[in-house]
Amino acid sequence: MRSGAILQAGLPSVFASWRFDRALSALSHSEHSVIRDYARKSWPTRDTPVYDAPLLALDFELDGLSKDAHLLQAGWVPFAGRAVTLCEARSIDIRSDAVLDDGAVVIHGIGEQRAARGEKISVVLADLIEVLAGRVLVAHAARIEVSAIKRAARAVFDVDLPIRSICTLHLEQRLNPNSPAREAYRLANARGRYGLPDYTAHDALTDAIAAAELFQAQMSRMGEETKLSQVER
């Protein structure tokens, strides 16, 4: 699929920009400095070429997929179109005193003792918001990460945090729409279509790096003229 097809699927740029800017303006006088800084940050315009845009790949490990699932680990890495900045990558366990779902523990390997030693969500969230300011979030099934950040921001800072995001799962469905099996769009299977290596799944930082690399591979199919407005959700 060439970039012209991606263009047809893009968001209405003017409306999306207005909505985001309006939400930022509402936070510019927050009592929390990290929120004020986020609101006042310089952001890339939606006609910025994707290759020139500041991005942040993010993944969370959660205790299940319910809307109130506990955040147990965050992993993120800043990157741009042609480079992943591993020296700025972060992996942080998030404190939880909850009784965790046994099935989820088997998958992500974070048990209750480890979770109890994690960092407070308020600290992790402040660090994440600081690095996300001015960047577009990239994640596989990005609605999970976006929803989790928004939920945490409401709980910690009592704000509705606007987030710009790109979903590599959604992009893969647009680039390769005729895959019959649901499994075909999982992160590992999507990476395989571009010849990317297998990584051990269900570690937040590893999955964030995997999503960043997948997005770079997807961009190679879309063309250098592709704008943010064509790929943002």
Side-chain angles (χ1 to χ4, degrees), residues 185-206:
Y185 296 109
R186 288 187 177 273
L187 179 56
N189 293 340
R191 285 172 56 85
R193 277 191 285 275
Y194 300 89
L196 295 169
D198 289 335
Y199 288 157
T200 301
H202 302 299
D203 170 80
L205 179 55
T206 301

Side-chain angles (χ1 to χ4, degrees), residues 21 25 29 33 38 97 113 152:
D21 291 344
S25 180
H29 299 290
S33 61
Y38 184 90
D97 297 321
Q113 290 185 341

Side-chain angles (χ1 to χ4, degrees), residues 30-31 57 59 68 98 102 135 176:
S30 170
E31 62 181 292
D59 185 76
D68 57 350
D102 290 340
R135 298 180 182 274
N176 295 285

Side-chain angles (χ1 to χ4, degrees), residues 24-162:
L24 286 180
S25 180
L27 302 180
S28 61
H29 299 290
S30 170
E31 62 181 292
H32 305 288
S33 61
V34 68
I35 300 298
R36 291 196 305 272
D37 292 345
Y38 184 90
R40 298 171 183 176
K41 191 73 173 183
S42 176
W43 294 82
T45 62
R46 291 181 185 267
D47 62 356
T48 299
V50 175
Y51 274 104
D52 296 333
L55 308 169
L56 184 78
L58 173 69
D59 185 76
F60 288 124
E61 291 300 324
L62 300 93
D63 180 39
L65 294 177
S66 66
K67 64 179 182 179
D68 57 350
H70 295 271
L71 295 174
L72 299 177
Q73 186 185 48
W76 65 75
V77 58
F79 75 109
R82 296 178 176 84
V84 177
T85 315
L86 291 178
C87 64
E88 298 180 40
R90 293 285 306 277
S91 177
I92 310 174
D93 285 357
I94 301 170
R95 185 178 304 174
S96 174
D97 297 321
V99 176
L100 302 181
D101 179 84
D102 290 340
V105 171
V106 169
I107 293 173
H108 53 59
I110 302 174
E112 291 170 9
Q113 290 185 341
R114 178 177 167 183
R117 297 193 299 267
E119 187 62 82
K120 291 181 179 179
I121 183 60
S122 58
V123 175
V124 177
L125 183 63
D127 288 348
L128 174 56
I129 290 175
E130 181 179 5
V131 73
L132 182 58
R135 298 180 182 274
V136 180
L137 184 152
V138 175
H140 203 69
R143 63 177 180 79
I144 295 174
E145 277 66 37
V146 170
S147 176
I149 297 173
K150 284 181 169 291
R151 177 162 51 92
R154 283 192 292 269
V156 174
F157 297 116
D158 193 27
V159 297
D160 186 8
L161 192 75

Side-chain angles (χ1 to χ4, degrees), residues 11 46 136 164-166 174 228-233:
L11 283 171
R46 291 181 185 267
V136 180
R164 292 172 61 178
S165 67
I166 296 168
R174 286 160 58 184
L228 281 175
S229 61
Q230 297 169 241
V231 295
E232 284 191 56
R233 293 284 282 163

